[in-house]
Amino acid sequence: MNWITKFIKPKLKSLFEKKSSKIEENLWTTCGCKNLIYKEDMNANQKVCPKCGAHHKLTCKERFETFFDNKEFELIETPLPIDDPLNFEDKKKYSDRLKAARKLTGQDDAILIAKGKVQNIEMVVGAQDFRFIGGSFGAASGEAFIAGAQYAIENKIPYIFFSCSGGQRMMESSIALMQMSRTALAVNELKKKNIPFIVVITNPTTGGVTASWAMLGDIILAEKGSVCGFAGKRVIQDTVRETLPDEFQTAEYVRDHGFIDLVIERRYLNSTVGTLLNVLLKKTEAQAKQDSNVTVDKSLQAAS
C-alpha cells in the first residue's frame, strides 16, 4: 500500500464527510413527534412545530421578538447581586455553573426585562431562559422581577411575565426561597396601584415559581401543551399511590380544573394580550374616575 492510498485518500474523504454532515445538521432539527423539521420552517413559525403544533422553548430575546409589535423592544437594566453567596459546590462549583450558563445564554441571569408596545399599548415584559440552570429563580432573578414591577408602577404601565422555570435555585438555598415572598409582595404592590399583571405560563413552569408569582396574575394564560405544576408528576404519583391521567399537569388539564384562564397558541399572544389589556385599562380608568367623583362628593359634603 503506497502513501497516496494510505494517507491522502482517507484525509480527503474525511474532509468531505465532515463538511456535508455539518451542512445537514444546520439545516434540520427534530421535534418530539419524531419528525425531521426544516429549521427555517420552524423559525418562521415562531419555533412551533408545523407538524404537531408543539411549542418549543424560546430564548428571552426570541420571546420579546415574537411578542412585541414589529419586534421592537428595549432591555431594562436590572440589579445584579453578588455571585455564589454561599460558596455552594456539588458535582461542580456554583460559580462555574454560572460562568457556563452566562456563556451559553449571553445573559447575567435567567431573567431579562424589556419595555415596548403590544397592540400599541406600552408595557414592561419579563421572560425566563430555561437554558440558564433550568430557568431557576435565585436572588438575581428576584431583583430583576422586582425591578420590572417597580418600572411598571413608576410609569403606570402593565406588567407581563413569561414563566419558564424548574423553580427556586437550590444552590442559593434560603436566599432563593426568600424570593417567593419578595415577588409576591411586588405583585401585591402592582395590585394596590391598579397596574395590570398578566402571567403567561410556558413549558415548563414548576416548583417555587408556580407557588408564588406565577399564580398571582390578574389573568393567567398558558401556551398550548405547557407543563404547569408544583412537584413532579412521578413524585405525586408515588405519594398518593394512584395512577394519574396522561394529561395531568398539562396547561389544558390545569385550565379545566380552574387554575388557568386561557390556553392559547403562541401566534395569538400579541393580539390576545392586547385585547385583554384594552378591557383592563378601560376598567381601571373608569374606577379611577369613580373614586375621584366620590372624593369630590365627600369634600363638598364636608364643606357644606
Side-chain angles (χ1 to χ4, degrees), residues 7-40:
F7 296 106
I8 303 300
K9 283 187 177 179
K11 187 69 175 174
L12 289 170
K13 188 179 179 181
S14 67
L15 285 171
F16 281 112
E17 283 178 352
K18 284 179 182 176
K19 187 176 180 182
S20 61
S21 64
K22 278 183 182 178
I23 290 170
E24 287 182 9
E25 282 174 11
N26 289 333
L27 291 176
W28 299 89
T29 187
T30 55
C31 177
C33 63
K34 297 180 181 177
N35 279 301
L36 197 62
I37 313 293
Y38 193 45
K39 268 191 176 178
E40 281 193 13

PDB file of all heavy atoms in Angstrom, residues 7-40:
ATOM      1  N   PHE A   7      -2.669   7.553   3.127  1.00  0.00           N
ATOM      2  CA  PHE A   7      -2.806   8.833   3.839  1.00  0.00           C
ATOM      3  C   PHE A   7      -3.666   9.876   3.116  1.00  0.00           C
ATOM      4  O   PHE A   7      -4.560  10.471   3.718  1.00  0.00           O
ATOM      5  CB  PHE A   7      -1.414   9.426   4.107  1.00  0.00           C
ATOM      6  CG  PHE A   7      -0.575   8.587   5.015  1.00  0.00           C
ATOM      7  CD1 PHE A   7       0.483   7.846   4.527  1.00  0.00           C
ATOM      8  CD2 PHE A   7      -0.852   8.530   6.371  1.00  0.00           C
ATOM      9  CE1 PHE A   7       1.257   7.055   5.367  1.00  0.00           C
ATOM     10  CE2 PHE A   7      -0.080   7.756   7.221  1.00  0.00           C
ATOM     11  CZ  PHE A   7       0.982   7.008   6.715  1.00  0.00           C
ATOM     12  N   ILE A   8      -3.406  10.080   1.838  1.00  0.00           N
ATOM     13  CA  ILE A   8      -4.065  11.184   1.117  1.00  0.00           C
ATOM     14  C   ILE A   8      -5.550  10.926   0.911  1.00  0.00           C
ATOM     15  O   ILE A   8      -6.393  11.776   1.215  1.00  0.00           O
ATOM     16  CB  ILE A   8      -3.366  11.447  -0.237  1.00  0.00           C
ATOM     17  CG1 ILE A   8      -1.883  11.756  -0.035  1.00  0.00           C
ATOM     18  CG2 ILE A   8      -4.064  12.588  -0.975  1.00  0.00           C
ATOM     19  CD1 ILE A   8      -1.621  12.976   0.819  1.00  0.00           C
ATOM     20  N   LYS A   9      -5.921   9.753   0.391  1.00  0.00           N
ATOM     21  CA  LYS A   9      -7.326   9.457   0.093  1.00  0.00           C
ATOM     22  C   LYS A   9      -8.215   9.486   1.343  1.00  0.00           C
ATOM     23  O   LYS A   9      -9.281  10.107   1.344  1.00  0.00           O
ATOM     24  CB  LYS A   9      -7.440   8.115  -0.632  1.00  0.00           C
ATOM     25  CG  LYS A   9      -7.058   8.182  -2.106  1.00  0.00           C
ATOM     26  CD  LYS A   9      -7.349   6.865  -2.794  1.00  0.00           C
ATOM     27  CE  LYS A   9      -7.028   6.972  -4.294  1.00  0.00           C
ATOM     28  NZ  LYS A   9      -7.280   5.688  -4.988  1.00  0.00           N
ATOM     29  N   PRO A  10      -7.810   8.821   2.449  1.00  0.00           N
ATOM     30  CA  PRO A  10      -8.644   8.892   3.673  1.00  0.00           C
ATOM     31  C   PRO A  10      -8.819  10.304   4.201  1.00  0.00           C
ATOM     32  O   PRO A  10      -9.884  10.667   4.695  1.00  0.00           O
ATOM     33  CB  PRO A  10      -7.863   8.034   4.672  1.00  0.00           C
ATOM     34  CG  PRO A  10      -7.059   7.116   3.837  1.00  0.00           C
ATOM     35  CD  PRO A  10      -6.686   7.900   2.620  1.00  0.00           C
ATOM     36  N   LYS A  11      -7.758  11.118   4.092  1.00  0.00           N
ATOM     37  CA  LYS A  11      -7.831  12.506   4.567  1.00  0.00           C
ATOM     38  C   LYS A  11      -8.845  13.315   3.774  1.00  0.00           C
ATOM     39  O   LYS A  11      -9.674  14.034   4.323  1.00  0.00           O
ATOM     40  CB  LYS A  11      -6.440  13.155   4.463  1.00  0.00           C
ATOM     41  CG  LYS A  11      -6.353  14.541   5.072  1.00  0.00           C
ATOM     42  CD  LYS A  11      -6.478  14.506   6.568  1.00  0.00           C
ATOM     43  CE  LYS A  11      -6.270  15.881   7.184  1.00  0.00           C
ATOM     44  NZ  LYS A  11      -6.537  15.875   8.632  1.00  0.00           N
ATOM     45  N   LEU A  12      -8.793  13.185   2.440  1.00  0.00           N
ATOM     46  CA  LEU A  12      -9.727  13.901   1.567  1.00  0.00           C
ATOM     47  C   LEU A  12     -11.167  13.452   1.825  1.00  0.00           C
ATOM     48  O   LEU A  12     -12.094  14.265   1.878  1.00  0.00           O
ATOM     49  CB  LEU A  12      -9.363  13.679   0.096  1.00  0.00           C
ATOM     50  CG  LEU A  12      -8.083  14.363  -0.392  1.00  0.00           C
ATOM     51  CD1 LEU A  12      -7.711  13.864  -1.780  1.00  0.00           C
ATOM     52  CD2 LEU A  12      -8.253  15.871  -0.397  1.00  0.00           C
ATOM     53  N   LYS A  13     -11.344  12.133   1.979  1.00  0.00           N
ATOM     54  CA  LYS A  13     -12.673  11.586   2.223  1.00  0.00           C
ATOM     55  C   LYS A  13     -13.271  12.119   3.522  1.00  0.00           C
ATOM     56  O   LYS A  13     -14.438  12.522   3.584  1.00  0.00           O
ATOM     57  CB  LYS A  13     -12.594  10.061   2.266  1.00  0.00           C
ATOM     58  CG  LYS A  13     -13.972   9.386   2.336  1.00  0.00           C
ATOM     59  CD  LYS A  13     -13.813   7.882   2.349  1.00  0.00           C
ATOM     60  CE  LYS A  13     -15.192   7.225   2.436  1.00  0.00           C
ATOM     61  NZ  LYS A  13     -15.081   5.740   2.484  1.00  0.00           N
ATOM     62  N   SER A  14     -12.466  12.160   4.580  1.00  0.00           N
ATOM     63  CA  SER A  14     -12.941  12.654   5.883  1.00  0.00           C
ATOM     64  C   SER A  14     -13.310  14.130   5.836  1.00  0.00           C
ATOM     65  O   SER A  14     -14.271  14.558   6.464  1.00  0.00           O
ATOM     66  CB  SER A  14     -11.884  12.408   6.964  1.00  0.00           C
ATOM     67  OG  SER A  14     -10.735  13.193   6.730  1.00  0.00           O
ATOM     68  N   LEU A  15     -12.576  14.905   5.082  1.00  0.00           N
ATOM     69  CA  LEU A  15     -12.873  16.340   4.958  1.00  0.00           C
ATOM     70  C   LEU A  15     -14.235  16.563   4.322  1.00  0.00           C
ATOM     71  O   LEU A  15     -15.036  17.376   4.779  1.00  0.00           O
ATOM     72  CB  LEU A  15     -11.786  17.047   4.135  1.00  0.00           C
ATOM     73  CG  LEU A  15     -10.445  17.292   4.837  1.00  0.00           C
ATOM     74  CD1 LEU A  15      -9.412  17.797   3.844  1.00  0.00           C
ATOM     75  CD2 LEU A  15     -10.619  18.300   5.968  1.00  0.00           C
ATOM     76  N   PHE A  16     -14.534  15.828   3.249  1.00  0.00           N
ATOM     77  CA  PHE A  16     -15.811  15.980   2.551  1.00  0.00           C
ATOM     78  C   PHE A  16     -16.971  15.475   3.407  1.00  0.00           C
ATOM     79  O   PHE A  16     -18.043  16.079   3.432  1.00  0.00           O
ATOM     80  CB  PHE A  16     -15.792  15.230   1.213  1.00  0.00           C
ATOM     81  CG  PHE A  16     -15.052  16.000   0.134  1.00  0.00           C
ATOM     82  CD1 PHE A  16     -13.843  15.532  -0.366  1.00  0.00           C
ATOM     83  CD2 PHE A  16     -15.551  17.192  -0.365  1.00  0.00           C
ATOM     84  CE1 PHE A  16     -13.156  16.232  -1.353  1.00  0.00           C
ATOM     85  CE2 PHE A  16     -14.872  17.903  -1.353  1.00  0.00           C
ATOM     86  CZ  PHE A  16     -13.672  17.422  -1.851  1.00  0.00           C
ATOM     87  N   GLU A  17     -16.751  14.371   4.140  1.00  0.00           N
ATOM     88  CA  GLU A  17     -17.797  13.831   5.004  1.00  0.00           C
ATOM     89  C   GLU A  17     -18.164  14.796   6.126  1.00  0.00           C
ATOM     90  O   GLU A  17     -19.325  15.021   6.410  1.00  0.00           O
ATOM     91  CB  GLU A  17     -17.332  12.500   5.611  1.00  0.00           C
ATOM     92  CG  GLU A  17     -17.417  11.349   4.623  1.00  0.00           C
ATOM     93  CD  GLU A  17     -16.910  10.059   5.224  1.00  0.00           C
ATOM     94  OE1 GLU A  17     -16.363  10.121   6.347  1.00  0.00           O
ATOM     95  OE2 GLU A  17     -17.039   9.011   4.583  1.00  0.00           O
ATOM     96  N   LYS A  18     -17.168  15.402   6.755  1.00  0.00           N
ATOM     97  CA  LYS A  18     -17.404  16.343   7.854  1.00  0.00           C
ATOM     98  C   LYS A  18     -18.163  17.570   7.363  1.00  0.00           C
ATOM     99  O   LYS A  18     -19.079  18.054   7.996  1.00  0.00           O
ATOM    100  CB  LYS A  18     -16.076  16.770   8.483  1.00  0.00           C
ATOM    101  CG  LYS A  18     -15.467  15.704   9.376  1.00  0.00           C
ATOM    102  CD  LYS A  18     -14.141  16.156   9.946  1.00  0.00           C
ATOM    103  CE  LYS A  18     -13.499  15.066  10.794  1.00  0.00           C
ATOM    104  NZ  LYS A  18     -12.167  15.448  11.278  1.00  0.00           N
ATOM    105  N   LYS A  19     -17.769  18.067   6.193  1.00  0.00           N
ATOM    106  CA  LYS A  19     -18.404  19.272   5.654  1.00  0.00           C
ATOM    107  C   LYS A  19     -19.874  19.029   5.349  1.00  0.00           C
ATOM    108  O   LYS A  19     -20.746  19.811   5.703  1.00  0.00           O
ATOM    109  CB  LYS A  19     -17.658  19.730   4.400  1.00  0.00           C
ATOM    110  CG  LYS A  19     -18.138  21.068   3.876  1.00  0.00           C
ATOM    111  CD  LYS A  19     -17.296  21.520   2.703  1.00  0.00           C
ATOM    112  CE  LYS A  19     -17.797  22.880   2.194  1.00  0.00           C
ATOM    113  NZ  LYS A  19     -17.035  23.335   1.034  1.00  0.00           N
ATOM    114  N   SER A  20     -20.179  17.909   4.666  1.00  0.00           N
ATOM    115  CA  SER A  20     -21.556  17.625   4.279  1.00  0.00           C
ATOM    116  C   SER A  20     -22.436  17.364   5.503  1.00  0.00           C
ATOM    117  O   SER A  20     -23.578  17.797   5.558  1.00  0.00           O
ATOM    118  CB  SER A  20     -21.616  16.426   3.335  1.00  0.00           C
ATOM    119  OG  SER A  20     -21.103  15.270   3.974  1.00  0.00           O
ATOM    120  N   SER A  21     -21.900  16.647   6.519  1.00  0.00           N
ATOM    121  CA  SER A  21     -22.691  16.363   7.714  1.00  0.00           C
ATOM    122  C   SER A  21     -23.010  17.632   8.488  1.00  0.00           C
ATOM    123  O   SER A  21     -24.098  17.795   9.020  1.00  0.00           O
ATOM    124  CB  SER A  21     -21.957  15.375   8.621  1.00  0.00           C
ATOM    125  OG  SER A  21     -20.756  15.937   9.100  1.00  0.00           O
ATOM    126  N   LYS A  22     -22.066  18.578   8.542  1.00  0.00           N
ATOM    127  CA  LYS A  22     -22.297  19.856   9.240  1.00  0.00           C
ATOM    128  C   LYS A  22     -23.395  20.648   8.558  1.00  0.00           C
ATOM    129  O   LYS A  22     -24.238  21.259   9.199  1.00  0.00           O
ATOM    130  CB  LYS A  22     -21.006  20.677   9.268  1.00  0.00           C
ATOM    131  CG  LYS A  22     -20.056  20.269  10.392  1.00  0.00           C
ATOM    132  CD  LYS A  22     -18.842  21.161  10.417  1.00  0.00           C
ATOM    133  CE  LYS A  22     -17.862  20.719  11.511  1.00  0.00           C
ATOM    134  NZ  LYS A  22     -16.654  21.542  11.516  1.00  0.00           N
ATOM    135  N   ILE A  23     -23.386  20.648   7.213  1.00  0.00           N
ATOM    136  CA  ILE A  23     -24.403  21.382   6.458  1.00  0.00           C
ATOM    137  C   ILE A  23     -25.784  20.819   6.766  1.00  0.00           C
ATOM    138  O   ILE A  23     -26.737  21.561   7.028  1.00  0.00           O
ATOM    139  CB  ILE A  23     -24.114  21.323   4.943  1.00  0.00           C
ATOM    140  CG1 ILE A  23     -22.867  22.149   4.619  1.00  0.00           C
ATOM    141  CG2 ILE A  23     -25.300  21.844   4.140  1.00  0.00           C
ATOM    142  CD1 ILE A  23     -22.348  21.967   3.216  1.00  0.00           C
ATOM    143  N   GLU A  24     -25.912  19.457   6.781  1.00  0.00           N
ATOM    144  CA  GLU A  24     -27.204  18.832   7.048  1.00  0.00           C
ATOM    145  C   GLU A  24     -27.674  19.117   8.471  1.00  0.00           C
ATOM    146  O   GLU A  24     -28.838  19.392   8.711  1.00  0.00           O
ATOM    147  CB  GLU A  24     -27.099  17.326   6.822  1.00  0.00           C
ATOM    148  CG  GLU A  24     -27.022  16.959   5.339  1.00  0.00           C
ATOM    149  CD  GLU A  24     -26.967  15.452   5.122  1.00  0.00           C
ATOM    150  OE1 GLU A  24     -27.171  14.712   6.108  1.00  0.00           O
ATOM    151  OE2 GLU A  24     -26.706  15.034   3.995  1.00  0.00           O
ATOM    152  N   GLU A  25     -26.780  19.087   9.436  1.00  0.00           N
ATOM    153  CA  GLU A  25     -27.133  19.364  10.825  1.00  0.00           C
ATOM    154  C   GLU A  25     -27.660  20.782  10.997  1.00  0.00           C
ATOM    155  O   GLU A  25     -28.568  21.029  11.774  1.00  0.00           O
ATOM    156  CB  GLU A  25     -25.910  19.164  11.726  1.00  0.00           C
ATOM    157  CG  GLU A  25     -25.611  17.702  12.022  1.00  0.00           C
ATOM    158  CD  GLU A  25     -24.328  17.538  12.792  1.00  0.00           C
ATOM    159  OE1 GLU A  25     -23.798  18.570  13.263  1.00  0.00           O
ATOM    160  OE2 GLU A  25     -23.838  16.413  12.911  1.00  0.00           O
ATOM    161  N   ASN A  26     -27.102  21.724  10.276  1.00  0.00           N
ATOM    162  CA  ASN A  26     -27.505  23.116  10.395  1.00  0.00           C
ATOM    163  C   ASN A  26     -28.853  23.391   9.755  1.00  0.00           C
ATOM    164  O   ASN A  26     -29.526  24.335  10.106  1.00  0.00           O
ATOM    165  CB  ASN A  26     -26.456  24.031   9.763  1.00  0.00           C
ATOM    166  CG  ASN A  26     -25.188  24.089  10.597  1.00  0.00           C
ATOM    167  OD1 ASN A  26     -25.245  23.884  11.802  1.00  0.00           O
ATOM    168  ND2 ASN A  26     -24.062  24.338   9.967  1.00  0.00           N
ATOM    169  N   LEU A  27     -29.254  22.556   8.785  1.00  0.00           N
ATOM    170  CA  LEU A  27     -30.482  22.800   8.045  1.00  0.00           C
ATOM    171  C   LEU A  27     -31.714  22.186   8.695  1.00  0.00           C
ATOM    172  O   LEU A  27     -32.824  22.648   8.481  1.00  0.00           O
ATOM    173  CB  LEU A  27     -30.361  22.268   6.614  1.00  0.00           C
ATOM    174  CG  LEU A  27     -29.395  23.021   5.685  1.00  0.00           C
ATOM    175  CD1 LEU A  27     -29.309  22.335   4.335  1.00  0.00           C
ATOM    176  CD2 LEU A  27     -29.832  24.469   5.512  1.00  0.00           C
ATOM    177  N   TRP A  28     -31.538  21.117   9.491  1.00  0.00           N
ATOM    178  CA  TRP A  28     -32.670  20.369  10.012  1.00  0.00           C
ATOM    179  C   TRP A  28     -32.640  20.281  11.539  1.00  0.00           C
ATOM    180  O   TRP A  28     -31.606  20.376  12.158  1.00  0.00           O
ATOM    181  CB  TRP A  28     -32.666  18.944   9.430  1.00  0.00           C
ATOM    182  CG  TRP A  28     -32.781  18.919   7.941  1.00  0.00           C
ATOM    183  CD1 TRP A  28     -31.747  18.955   7.044  1.00  0.00           C
ATOM    184  CD2 TRP A  28     -33.981  18.907   7.180  1.00  0.00           C
ATOM    185  NE1 TRP A  28     -32.237  18.954   5.759  1.00  0.00           N
ATOM    186  CE2 TRP A  28     -33.615  18.924   5.803  1.00  0.00           C
ATOM    187  CE3 TRP A  28     -35.338  18.874   7.502  1.00  0.00           C
ATOM    188  CZ2 TRP A  28     -34.535  18.903   4.780  1.00  0.00           C
ATOM    189  CZ3 TRP A  28     -36.275  18.857   6.474  1.00  0.00           C
ATOM    190  CH2 TRP A  28     -35.871  18.873   5.143  1.00  0.00           C
ATOM    191  N   THR A  29     -33.837  20.103  12.116  1.00  0.00           N
ATOM    192  CA  THR A  29     -33.954  19.872  13.553  1.00  0.00           C
ATOM    193  C   THR A  29     -35.034  18.826  13.796  1.00  0.00           C
ATOM    194  O   THR A  29     -35.794  18.496  12.874  1.00  0.00           O
ATOM    195  CB  THR A  29     -34.294  21.187  14.301  1.00  0.00           C
ATOM    196  OG1 THR A  29     -34.244  20.949  15.700  1.00  0.00           O
ATOM    197  CG2 THR A  29     -35.679  21.703  13.922  1.00  0.00           C
ATOM    198  N   THR A  30     -35.109  18.301  14.987  1.00  0.00           N
ATOM    199  CA  THR A  30     -36.113  17.286  15.295  1.00  0.00           C
ATOM    200  C   THR A  30     -37.105  17.801  16.331  1.00  0.00           C
ATOM    201  O   THR A  30     -36.832  18.761  17.055  1.00  0.00           O
ATOM    202  CB  THR A  30     -35.454  16.004  15.850  1.00  0.00           C
ATOM    203  OG1 THR A  30     -34.642  16.338  16.972  1.00  0.00           O
ATOM    204  CG2 THR A  30     -34.604  15.333  14.788  1.00  0.00           C
ATOM    205  N   CYS A  31     -38.257  17.139  16.390  1.00  0.00           N
ATOM    206  CA  CYS A  31     -39.309  17.504  17.340  1.00  0.00           C
ATOM    207  C   CYS A  31     -39.690  16.252  18.116  1.00  0.00           C
ATOM    208  O   CYS A  31     -39.332  15.134  17.742  1.00  0.00           O
ATOM    209  CB  CYS A  31     -40.506  18.062  16.575  1.00  0.00           C
ATOM    210  SG  CYS A  31     -41.912  18.483  17.648  1.00  0.00           S
ATOM    211  N   GLY A  32     -40.456  16.426  19.202  1.00  0.00           N
ATOM    212  CA  GLY A  32     -40.912  15.296  19.992  1.00  0.00           C
ATOM    213  C   GLY A  32     -41.794  14.341  19.208  1.00  0.00           C
ATOM    214  O   GLY A  32     -41.937  13.169  19.566  1.00  0.00           O
ATOM    215  N   CYS A  33     -42.399  14.826  18.128  1.00  0.00           N
ATOM    216  CA  CYS A  33     -43.249  13.984  17.276  1.00  0.00           C
ATOM    217  C   CYS A  33     -42.414  13.102  16.357  1.00  0.00           C
ATOM    218  O   CYS A  33     -42.945  12.371  15.527  1.00  0.00           O
ATOM    219  CB  CYS A  33     -44.208  14.837  16.463  1.00  0.00           C
ATOM    220  SG  CYS A  33     -43.397  15.978  15.295  1.00  0.00           S
ATOM    221  N   LYS A  34     -41.065  13.210  16.477  1.00  0.00           N
ATOM    222  CA  LYS A  34     -40.092  12.402  15.730  1.00  0.00           C
ATOM    223  C   LYS A  34     -40.029  12.733  14.241  1.00  0.00           C
ATOM    224  O   LYS A  34     -39.518  11.956  13.441  1.00  0.00           O
ATOM    225  CB  LYS A  34     -40.377  10.901  15.929  1.00  0.00           C
ATOM    226  CG  LYS A  34     -40.235  10.454  17.379  1.00  0.00           C
ATOM    227  CD  LYS A  34     -40.506   8.986  17.560  1.00  0.00           C
ATOM    228  CE  LYS A  34     -40.363   8.591  19.030  1.00  0.00           C
ATOM    229  NZ  LYS A  34     -40.678   7.174  19.267  1.00  0.00           N
ATOM    230  N   ASN A  35     -40.579  13.889  13.900  1.00  0.00           N
ATOM    231  CA  ASN A  35     -40.454  14.366  12.517  1.00  0.00           C
ATOM    232  C   ASN A  35     -39.204  15.214  12.369  1.00  0.00           C
ATOM    233  O   ASN A  35     -38.829  15.951  13.291  1.00  0.00           O
ATOM    234  CB  ASN A  35     -41.677  15.197  12.126  1.00  0.00           C
ATOM    235  CG  ASN A  35     -42.853  14.333  11.727  1.00  0.00           C
ATOM    236  OD1 ASN A  35     -42.761  13.539  10.798  1.00  0.00           O
ATOM    237  ND2 ASN A  35     -43.966  14.472  12.445  1.00  0.00           N
ATOM    238  N   LEU A  36     -38.589  15.117  11.216  1.00  0.00           N
ATOM    239  CA  LEU A  36     -37.443  15.965  10.896  1.00  0.00           C
ATOM    240  C   LEU A  36     -37.987  17.255  10.282  1.00  0.00           C
ATOM    241  O   LEU A  36     -38.710  17.214   9.279  1.00  0.00           O
ATOM    242  CB  LEU A  36     -36.524  15.245   9.897  1.00  0.00           C
ATOM    243  CG  LEU A  36     -35.099  15.780   9.746  1.00  0.00           C
ATOM    244  CD1 LEU A  36     -34.330  15.678  11.051  1.00  0.00           C
ATOM    245  CD2 LEU A  36     -34.367  15.025   8.644  1.00  0.00           C
ATOM    246  N   ILE A  37     -37.675  18.396  10.935  1.00  0.00           N
ATOM    247  CA  ILE A  37     -38.241  19.678  10.515  1.00  0.00           C
ATOM    248  C   ILE A  37     -37.148  20.580   9.949  1.00  0.00           C
ATOM    249  O   ILE A  37     -36.064  20.692  10.530  1.00  0.00           O
ATOM    250  CB  ILE A  37     -38.925  20.426  11.694  1.00  0.00           C
ATOM    251  CG1 ILE A  37     -39.833  19.459  12.477  1.00  0.00           C
ATOM    252  CG2 ILE A  37     -39.684  21.639  11.200  1.00  0.00           C
ATOM    253  CD1 ILE A  37     -41.018  18.959  11.724  1.00  0.00           C
ATOM    254  N   TYR A  38     -37.445  21.219   8.824  1.00  0.00           N
ATOM    255  CA  TYR A  38     -36.539  22.190   8.242  1.00  0.00           C
ATOM    256  C   TYR A  38     -36.453  23.382   9.193  1.00  0.00           C
ATOM    257  O   TYR A  38     -37.477  23.946   9.578  1.00  0.00           O
ATOM    258  CB  TYR A  38     -37.072  22.605   6.870  1.00  0.00           C
ATOM    259  CG  TYR A  38     -36.101  23.359   6.005  1.00  0.00           C
ATOM    260  CD1 TYR A  38     -34.775  22.949   5.856  1.00  0.00           C
ATOM    261  CD2 TYR A  38     -36.516  24.500   5.299  1.00  0.00           C
ATOM    262  CE1 TYR A  38     -33.896  23.647   5.054  1.00  0.00           C
ATOM    263  CE2 TYR A  38     -35.638  25.193   4.485  1.00  0.00           C
ATOM    264  CZ  TYR A  38     -34.336  24.761   4.369  1.00  0.00           C
ATOM    265  OH  TYR A  38     -33.460  25.453   3.569  1.00  0.00           O
ATOM    266  N   LYS A  39     -35.256  23.748   9.605  1.00  0.00           N
ATOM    267  CA  LYS A  39     -35.071  24.794  10.623  1.00  0.00           C
ATOM    268  C   LYS A  39     -35.722  26.119  10.228  1.00  0.00           C
ATOM    269  O   LYS A  39     -36.287  26.816  11.066  1.00  0.00           O
ATOM    270  CB  LYS A  39     -33.584  25.003  10.901  1.00  0.00           C
ATOM    271  CG  LYS A  39     -33.052  24.166  12.049  1.00  0.00           C
ATOM    272  CD  LYS A  39     -31.663  24.598  12.451  1.00  0.00           C
ATOM    273  CE  LYS A  39     -31.187  23.810  13.662  1.00  0.00           C
ATOM    274  NZ  LYS A  39     -29.824  24.178  14.062  1.00  0.00           N
ATOM    275  N   GLU A  40     -35.628  26.471   8.963  1.00  0.00           N
ATOM    276  CA  GLU A  40     -36.226  27.735   8.508  1.00  0.00           C
ATOM    277  C   GLU A  40     -37.732  27.720   8.708  1.00  0.00           C
ATOM    278  O   GLU A  40     -38.332  28.736   9.069  1.00  0.00           O
ATOM    279  CB  GLU A  40     -35.874  27.993   7.045  1.00  0.00           C
ATOM    280  CG  GLU A  40     -34.475  28.547   6.841  1.00  0.00           C
ATOM    281  CD  GLU A  40     -34.259  29.084   5.430  1.00  0.00           C
ATOM    282  OE1 GLU A  40     -35.251  29.260   4.689  1.00  0.00           O
ATOM    283  OE2 GLU A  40     -33.098  29.326   5.066  1.00  0.00           O
TER     284      GLU A  40
END
